[in-house]
Amino acid sequence: MTAVGWYVHHHGRGHLTRFEAVRPHLPGRVVAFSSLEAPSDLPPDTRWVELPRDDAAYVRNGESIDPRSSDPTAGGLLHWAPLGHPGHRRRLAAIAAASIDLDAFVVDVSVEVALWVRLLGLPTVVVTQPGDRTDGVHALAYRAADRIVAPWPEGSVPSVALDEARDRVAWVGGVSRFAGRSRTVVREPRSVLVLGAALAGGALERARAEATNAGWTFRTVGTDAAQWSADPWDALCAAEVVVSAAGQNSVADLAAAGARAVVIAQERPFDEQAATAAELDRAGLAVVSHPPEPGGFVDLLDRARALDPRWERWRTDGAPERAAAVIASVRR
């Protein structure tokens, strides 16, 4: 029996969360590949292949080798393929070995994996992200892909790179694990929820003190491993203001919850979050800020309270199903 392969990048949890949102709508078997450990609640007919890491130092002839010193870009032709790294070879070998019975492959995200599975002769769906991806390496992956899934609404986040491949791009809307879920709690006045790494260290503690002194109820979810929550939906819906990073999953979750939000873009390759945050600001969907200066946090909360965000334009309802339909369309 054939199946779909799916590469889940190990950076953060966003790629895994997107996989978990789309997988229930994709019929048949799926083989997932990742350096992350397998989730404890894999759906039926889903196999998880844990891949070796290729971004850590390794030992050769008694010497510790930093992969960043081993021409990982092949002179600028690739993003990451360090010479001599045994983990890199083993992960590609593991993908090839488990791909015999696959009839399509989703890559979220890696140019090298996308090219590898296309070389194996598999129809390939590349999941893209915002930001400046006009470099030749991304262009190569987009040209090799049968379809490209952009998990945001068409026209909401400009991308020159995707304009050049738009005949194969599907803008499916914001993919949220909460798409279509009903709200069962009432928003609590003057309550703020900080999600994940939107604020950290001294900035987080300063924001907590300023908000509390101004009479706000201050809560956090996922700011560290001990506070991780697999299902923060009720907390999202109960907060009058949510403070979040500008990652694609975070923004989609804000949209699904209809949240009034302060969005703080984190530094990411290719200015991914900065590009998204700029468009949220332009559209009036969120208050966009750098980490607040001392004394400035409550002003951000008050500005967010005054918003009337039209999050329906982010098209979260039905987005996981639309992404699954794109994947199913390339199966052979």
Side-chain angles (χ1 to χ4, degrees):
M1 182 185 297
T2 57
V4 170
W6 193 311
Y7 177 77
V8 179
H9 200 284
H10 52 264
H11 185 267
R13 295 189 63 89
H15 305 287
L16 173 60
T17 300
R18 185 154 46 220
F19 168 78
E20 291 174 329
V22 176
R23 173 64 185 102
H25 307 286
L26 186 62
R29 293 174 55 242
V30 171
V31 181
F33 301 82
S34 181
S35 293
L36 295 171
E37 291 183 2
S40 59
D41 55 349
L42 277 178
D45 292 328
T46 304
R47 176 187 170 202
W48 192 270
V49 177
E50 188 170 338
L51 300 175
R53 295 287 290 253
D54 63 353
D55 54 357
Y58 64 98
V59 176
R60 184 175 63 198
N61 298 327
E63 180 184 0
S64 179
I65 307 295
D66 184 340
R68 292 173 296 180
S69 67
S70 302
D71 189 22
T73 69
L77 293 175
L78 300 170
H79 285 154
W80 192 256
L83 285 171
H85 200 299
H88 185 70
R89 279 183 236 146
R90 287 172 185 151
R91 65 193 286 113
L92 294 182
I95 291 170
S99 294
I100 300 301
D101 295 326
L102 301 182
D103 56 0
F105 209 109
V106 183
V107 182
D108 184 5
V109 292
S110 165
V111 167
E112 288 72 33
V113 174
L115 297 176
W116 181 239
V117 298
R118 181 60 187 86
L119 285 168
L120 293 173
L122 287 167
T124 306
V125 177
V126 168
V127 180
T128 188
Q129 295 175 264
D132 181 4
R133 300 179 188 272
T134 54
D135 59 283
V137 186
H138 275 108
L140 183 58
Y142 295 155
R143 290 177 64 185
D146 291 86
R147 297 298 304 274
I148 303 166
V149 169
W152 63 87
E154 184 174 5
S156 64
V157 184
S159 172
V160 173
L162 295 187
D163 288 344
E164 296 175 357
R166 63 181 310 116
D167 61 316
R168 284 166 289 124
V169 180
W171 286 271
V172 299
V175 176
S176 171
R177 53 192 154 161
F178 303 127
R181 192 162 168 180
S182 61
R183 301 173 204 164
T184 58
V185 296
V186 177
R187 298 203 186 279
E188 179 184 341
R190 298 186 70 80
S191 62
V192 56
L193 173 71
V194 178
L195 286 178
L199 293 171
L204 176 64
E205 294 312 310
R206 187 170 60 242
R208 185 194 305 273
E210 292 178 15
T212 302
N213 289 339
W216 285 75
T217 302
F218 190 96
R219 298 188 180 92
T220 59
V221 170
T223 52
D224 55 40
Q227 286 206 321
W228 171 254
S229 172
D231 188 358
W233 176 247
D234 285 348
L236 265 173
C237 294
E240 186 173 22
V241 175
V242 180
V243 180
S244 169
Q248 288 299 291
N249 287 276
S250 297
V251 172
D253 289 350
L254 293 175
R260 290 177 172 86
V262 175
V263 170
I264 300 174
Q266 311 295 297
E267 289 189 13
R268 292 292 185 272
F270 310 103
D271 290 333
E272 171 206 336
Q273 292 202 15
T276 301
E279 294 308 310
L280 296 178
D281 185 40
R282 181 189 61 79
L285 291 173
V287 172
V288 173
S289 174
H290 298 291
E293 296 294 330
F297 185 61
V298 173
D299 177 64
L300 294 176
L301 299 181
D302 288 337
R303 288 168 54 196
R305 288 177 74 196
L307 289 174
D308 182 20
R310 303 297 182 183
W311 278 117
E312 61 273 9
R313 70 182 69 179
W314 213 254
R315 295 184 68 218
T316 55
D317 284 349
E321 292 92 331
R322 288 190 290 272
V326 174
I327 297 164
S329 72
V330 306
R331 298 183 70 170
R332 300 184 188 277

